[in-house]
Amino acid sequence: MTKVIKTKWHILCVLAMVLIMAMTIGGCHFIPISDGGSKKGVASIIGVSQANMREEWRVALINELREETAKYEDIRIVTTDATGSAAKQIQDIDNLIGFGMDLLIISPCDEKMMGDKIKEVYDSGIPVIVMDRAVEGFDYTLYIGPDNEVIGQQAGSYIIDLLGEKGGDVVVLQGNPASVQGTERLSGFKSAIEKASGINLHEVYMGAESKDAAYDMVITARKIVEEADIIFTYSDNMALGACDALRELGLESKVMIVDCDGFKGADEGIDLVSQGRLKATVSCPIGGKEAIDYALSILNNESGVPKQVILRSNIIDKGNVEENLNRINADTVDDGRKIKVGYSQVGQESNWRLANTKSIEESAKDFNIELHMEIADQSQEKQFEAIRSFIKEGVDVIVVSPVVETGWDEVLREAKAAGIPVIMSDRNVLVENREENLTTTYLGADFVEEGRRAMRWVRDNVDAGDGDKHIMEIMGNVGASPTEERDRGFREILAENPGYDITYSAYGDFTFDGGRKVVREYLENNEWDIDIIFSQNDDMALGAIEELKAHGIKPDDDVKIISVDATTEAFEAMVRGELSCAVECNPIIGPQLMKAIRDLCSGKQMPFRIITDEKVYDQSVAEDYIRKRLY
Ligand code: AHR
C-alpha cells in the first residue's frame, strides 16, 4: 500500500480507545499490529465483522487475518464480534463505517438477515468481502469460502476406500443441528456413503459442538462404539473429544477417527494426524490469507479480482501430513520470472470467444507470461494434440478451455505424470474420480447461475397468463459445460414456475448460423407458437432474430428473446428493441487467469473454483450501459 491518509491514524487512535472500552461490554476487539506499523501511519482500515467467537474456526480466521495484516505496515484491522446476533452485527457494521473503514470483511451470522446490510455497505462504495456463508444475490465485492458439501464428500470417499469392499460400521457424531457448516458437511458425507454398499451408519446426536460433548457421547455410546470401525465427526473439537474417549475406553487401536477442519496448532486436526490419533482430517481452508490478499488488490484497484473464490480442501493423513504442513507454513514468493503457459483454446465460434482470446493474450503480456495458444476449431482431438505438445515442450502450466466436458482423464493424467498443473479456463471438465486431482482449479463463470438468471428474468417479466407459455431453447454444442449447466439452471427455476414449458429444444453450436438454423427448421415444420426464446449465447440469438424477421415475426413484440453473454452486439440489439434481455457471461478473464497462474507458480494453494463477476441487463438499462461495454 502506498497511499497514506494521515487522518486515518487520528481516527484510529480514537477508535482504539472506544473499542477497548467496548471490549468490556461486549465482544469488540481492537487488534494492534507490529510496532513498526505505527511509524508510517495508516493507509487503510479493514473492518472485520465476525458472526461469533465461539466457533473455533472463527477464532482461527481472526488469527489468520491478524497474522496476514501484520505483514503490512500501513494496514490496520478492527474486528467486532456479533455474538451470533444479526441485530448486533448490523450495529457493529455501522460502528465500523463510523470509524472510517475502507473495506469490510464479514462472516455473516445469518445470510438471509445480513443480505440487505451487506448490499447497503456495498452500494455506498465500501468494498465488501463476504466469508464462509454466501448471501443471496451478488451485491458484494467478493465471496471467499469453502465448499462444505464437498468437504463432507471427501471424508465419505476416504472412508469408503478405507473400509474397502467388505464395508463396516461408522459412528457419526453430530453436533449442533443448527450449524449450517455441520449440516452441509453431513449431507455431503452421506451423499458419498450412499454410493457404497456394506457401510452401516450409526448416527449419534449431541446437541452441542464441543470437545466435552463428544467425549461424553462416545463414553455413553460405548456399546455401539465398541462394534464400530470408524468414528466420523465434522470438527477438530469433536474429534479431540472422541480421541480422548477412545483412549479412556482402551479402543484407540481398534476404532479409527476421521474428521473435517484440519486446523494447524496443538491438538488440532493436523497435529492429531501427526500423533497418529486421527486417521485423517479433511482440511477446511480458513481463507484469511486469501481475504487479505484480495483486500489489498481491491484497495489498490487492481484487475483480476473475481466474484467468488471457493477454497480447496484436502484429505490429510499420515501419508501426506508432512507435505501439507510444509505447504501451510511455507512463505510464498513470486520471483517475477517468465512463466511459460500452453493454452488450448476451444475455437473462434462467437464474438464472446474472440474477446476471450484477446483478453488472455493481452493479459499474458501484462503479467510477463510467455503464452503459446493453440486454437482447436471445436475438436477434442486437436485439444489432445495441443496438450501433448505442451507437455513435450515442458511448459510450466497448461490451460484448457474444453470443447466438451468428458473424455479428458487420460490426457490429464499424462500432464500430471509430467508434473505440469492444468487449469480449466472458462469451461470445466467432468473427471471420473475427483480425488485424483487432475485439474488444479477452474476459473470462469457460474453457468448454472446464468441459466437460473435467464429463467428468473422470464418469470419476472413475461406473465405466465393462462399458464401456457411456450419456450424454445437454443442450446450451444452437445456436451459442453455451458450447454449442460445453463440448461440445468434454467430448468431448475422453470420447475418452480408452472405456466411455462420448453416446447422445443435444439443445438445451435454457439454460432450465428446455428441459431438461425434452429428457428428456420422449426418454422419449416410448425406454425409459430413460441412465446419465449432462451438462447444460450448472443450469436445464436442474433441469428434467430434475423430468421424471425425474415418470416415477419417481430422479435421482442411477438416473442421475448433472452440470451447469455451480453456482448456489445447484444446491447445494440436491445437498444434496437429486438433482444429482450442479456445475461452476462464475462469473457475478460485474462487478468484473473494470469494472477492465478503467477500465484500457482509462486507456490500458493489454488482454490477449487474462481468465479467471475456477472450481471443481468435488459432493454430498460441497455442505453446506459452500451458505451461501457468492454467486449
Ligand atoms: O464457454 C462460454 C461460451 O462459449 C459463451 O457463452 C459462448 O458464446 C462461447 O462460444
Side-chain angles (χ1 to χ4, degrees):
M1 297 295 298
T2 48
K3 170 176 72 116
V4 176
I5 305 167
K6 281 204 177 131
T7 50
K8 285 276 167 64
W9 183 233
H10 299 122
I11 293 171
L12 204 68
C13 291
V14 177
L15 164 63
M17 289 187 316
V18 173
L19 289 177
I20 287 163
M21 286 191 301
M23 281 172 73
T24 53
I25 42 173
C28 196
H29 305 262
F30 171 60
I31 297 191
I33 63 170
S34 61
D35 289 346
S38 57
K39 289 184 194 137
K40 283 202 172 169
V42 178
S44 296
I45 297 173
I46 297 177
V48 180
S49 171
Q50 181 56 287
N52 68 66
M53 290 290 276
R54 289 188 304 269
E55 295 163 63
E56 64 182 315
W57 82 266
R58 293 185 186 279
V59 178
L61 170 62
I62 295 296
N63 289 340
E64 199 170 295
L65 290 170
R66 184 179 184 174
E67 268 172 38
E68 284 306 304
T69 320
K71 294 177 186 162
Y72 302 90
E73 289 190 333
D74 51 359
I75 304 287
R76 295 290 184 278
I77 63 168
V78 181
T79 72
T80 55
D81 169 7
T83 63
S85 148
K88 169 136 186 359
Q89 192 158 35
I90 289 171
Q91 185 57 53
D92 289 345
I93 294 171
D94 284 337
N95 290 342
L96 290 169
I97 294 171
F99 299 147
M101 77 171 155
D102 299 286
L103 180 140
L104 171 68
I105 295 178
I106 175 169
S107 179
C109 56
D110 183 310
E111 47 275 48
K112 289 212 168 58
M113 289 169 80
M114 292 312 298
D116 287 348
K117 189 70 192 170
I118 288 171
K119 180 175 172 0
E120 184 190 313
V121 177
Y122 175 67
D123 287 347
S124 78
I126 298 175
V128 185
I129 299 180
V130 179
M131 297 201 63
D132 165 47
R133 291 180 194 168
V135 288
E136 261 177 39
F138 285 82
D139 298 307
Y140 53 79
T141 313
L142 168 67
Y143 166 77
I144 301 177
D147 188 332
N148 283 306
E149 186 87 20
V150 168
I151 290 178
Q153 282 169 14
Q154 287 176 295
S157 308
Y158 183 84
I159 287 176
I160 294 172
D161 287 348
L162 209 57
L163 292 174
E165 277 180 10
K166 75 175 185 11
D169 289 86
V170 179
V171 173
V172 184
L173 277 189
Q174 307 192 17
N176 180 0
S179 151
V180 181
Q181 212 177 35
T183 311
E184 287 171 356
R185 288 179 185 180
L186 270 177
S187 131
F189 173 75
K190 286 185 189 167
S191 74
I193 295 287
E194 267 165 22
K195 292 186 196 131
S197 54
I199 298 184
N200 308 311
L201 296 187
H202 305 272
E203 300 189 43
V204 175
Y205 302 90
M206 308 187 308
E209 259 171 41
S210 69
K211 176 185 161 209
D212 292 345
Y215 175 91
D216 291 346
M217 193 43 84
V218 172
I219 301 282
T220 312
R222 176 188 189 135
K223 286 250 158 345
I224 308 171
V225 174
E226 276 172 349
E227 299 303 316
D229 300 285
I230 296 177
I231 292 176
F232 166 71
T233 186
Y234 53 77
S235 83
D236 280 353
N237 241 337
M238 294 194 286
L240 180 59
C243 284
D244 289 349
L246 287 188
R247 183 170 280 175
E248 178 72 27
L249 297 173
L251 292 172
E252 259 190 317
S253 54
K254 181 185 178 293
V255 183
M256 297 177 276
I257 304 176
V258 173
D259 90 333
C260 309
D261 266 357
F263 294 142
K264 59 175 188 174
D267 278 346
E268 299 288 359
I270 299 183
D271 186 37
L272 291 175
V273 171
S274 298
Q275 292 176 37
R277 301 186 70 192
L278 207 58
K279 182 72 188 168
T281 182
V282 184
S283 65
C284 170
I286 293 172
K289 264 187 186 169
E290 291 80 356
I292 295 301
D293 195 21
Y294 278 116
L296 296 185
S297 297
I298 294 166
L299 289 167
N300 283 329
N301 287 320
E302 284 170 17
S303 55
V305 177
K307 193 70 183 175
Q308 296 184 347
V309 174
I310 310 300
L311 299 164
R312 178 169 297 273
S313 40
N314 300 309
I315 294 170
I316 302 175
D317 64 9
K318 199 98 195 157
N320 64 13
V321 67
E322 280 305 316
E323 184 193 316
N324 272 285
L325 269 175
N326 291 340
R327 184 183 44 73
I328 293 168
N329 293 328
D331 259 340
T332 57
V333 235
D334 182 350
D335 56 11
R337 80 183 164 91
K338 191 121 191 155
I339 297 169
K340 223 197 235 184
V341 171
Y343 195 114
S344 172
Q345 178 63 294
V346 61
Q348 311 185 74
E349 72 284 4
S350 59
N351 283 324
W352 187 98
R353 184 66 55 198
L354 302 182
N356 177 245
T357 302
K358 188 166 168 245
S359 159
I360 286 154
E361 286 174 341
E362 285 176 355
S363 314
K365 286 186 202 131
D366 296 346
F367 281 75
N368 192 26
I369 285 175
E370 184 181 327
L371 180 73
H372 297 204
M373 186 180 283
E374 293 287 338
I375 312 279
D377 302 324
Q378 313 297 318
S379 152
Q380 190 176 29
E381 276 308 315
K382 280 195 182 174
Q383 296 206 282
F384 291 159
E385 269 168 38
I387 295 170
R388 291 193 170 112
S389 77
F390 297 146
I391 296 174
K392 240 193 203 150
E393 205 183 312
V395 298
D396 298 296
V397 179
I398 293 175
V399 185
V400 187
S401 176
V403 60
V404 290
E405 285 180 303
T406 53
W408 299 93
D409 297 60
E410 195 182 319
V411 75
L412 291 176
R413 274 187 206 118
E414 290 169 32
K416 189 174 179 185
I420 304 176
V422 180
I423 294 181
M424 307 315 300
S425 167
D426 152 45
R427 298 178 178 187
N428 211 347
V429 290
L430 288 174
V431 289
E432 283 156 20
N433 177 9
R434 272 178 77 137
E435 305 308 334
E436 264 190 281
N437 287 326
L438 295 177
T439 60
T440 307
T441 192
Y442 164 71
L443 189 148
D446 182 342
F447 295 135
V448 178
E449 180 58 24
E450 288 170 356
R452 290 189 196 115
R453 288 172 176 195
M455 184 54 211
R456 284 193 201 114
W457 188 90
V458 171
R459 176 197 67 194
D460 298 342
N461 293 278
V462 188
D463 191 352
D466 51 9
D468 197 16
K469 289 283 179 250
H470 297 312
I471 300 176
M472 168 187 279
E473 184 186 27
I474 310 182
M475 302 205 285
N477 62 288
V478 181
S481 58
T483 307
E484 305 300 325
E485 293 177 9
R486 285 175 187 158
D487 174 66
R488 195 171 346 128
F490 190 84
R491 285 176 193 265
E492 186 187 307
I493 306 299
L494 183 83
E496 296 164 3
N497 290 282
Y500 309 90
D501 69 26
I502 298 181
T503 338
Y504 187 72
S505 186
Y507 295 98
D509 295 332
F510 289 122
T511 64
F512 180 92
D513 290 343
R516 193 162 192 167
K517 187 164 161 246
V518 170
V519 171
R520 188 173 55 245
E521 286 183 353
Y522 187 80
L523 280 164
E524 278 164 11
N525 299 305
N526 305 278
E527 281 288 304
W528 186 254
D529 58 351
I530 300 291
D531 306 289
I532 297 149
I533 293 179
F534 167 47
S535 168
Q536 289 189 347
N537 88 343
D538 290 345
D539 294 66
M540 297 188 295
L542 297 172
I545 287 172
E546 281 316 296
E547 193 61 26
L548 290 170
K549 289 199 290 188
H551 290 268
I553 301 166
K554 287 198 193 118
D556 193 55
D557 285 343
D558 297 338
V559 51
K560 295 288 173 208
I561 305 169
I562 299 93
S563 76
V564 185
D565 279 355
T567 54
T568 303
E569 291 76 12
F571 273 78
E572 286 163 359
M574 285 194 282
V575 171
R576 285 197 304 275
E578 293 179 347
L579 183 69
S580 316
C581 166
V583 175
E584 190 170 39
C585 176
N586 188 357
I588 316 293
I589 56 178
Q592 289 159 51
L593 177 64
M594 300 307 150
K595 180 178 178 347
I597 290 171
R598 291 223 74 97
D599 283 352
L600 173 66
C601 292
S602 66
K604 282 193 187 152
Q605 167 101 319
M606 285 287 99
F608 277 136
R609 294 193 299 279
I610 304 170
I611 304 297
T612 45
D613 187 9
E614 296 171 344
K615 300 187 172 51
V616 177
Y617 304 92
D618 63 15
Q619 290 181 4
S620 65
V621 297
E623 286 269 17
D624 300 340
Y625 284 94
I626 191 163
R627 277 173 297 280
K628 296 180 205 147
R629 295 313 287 163
L630 295 176
Y631 61 98

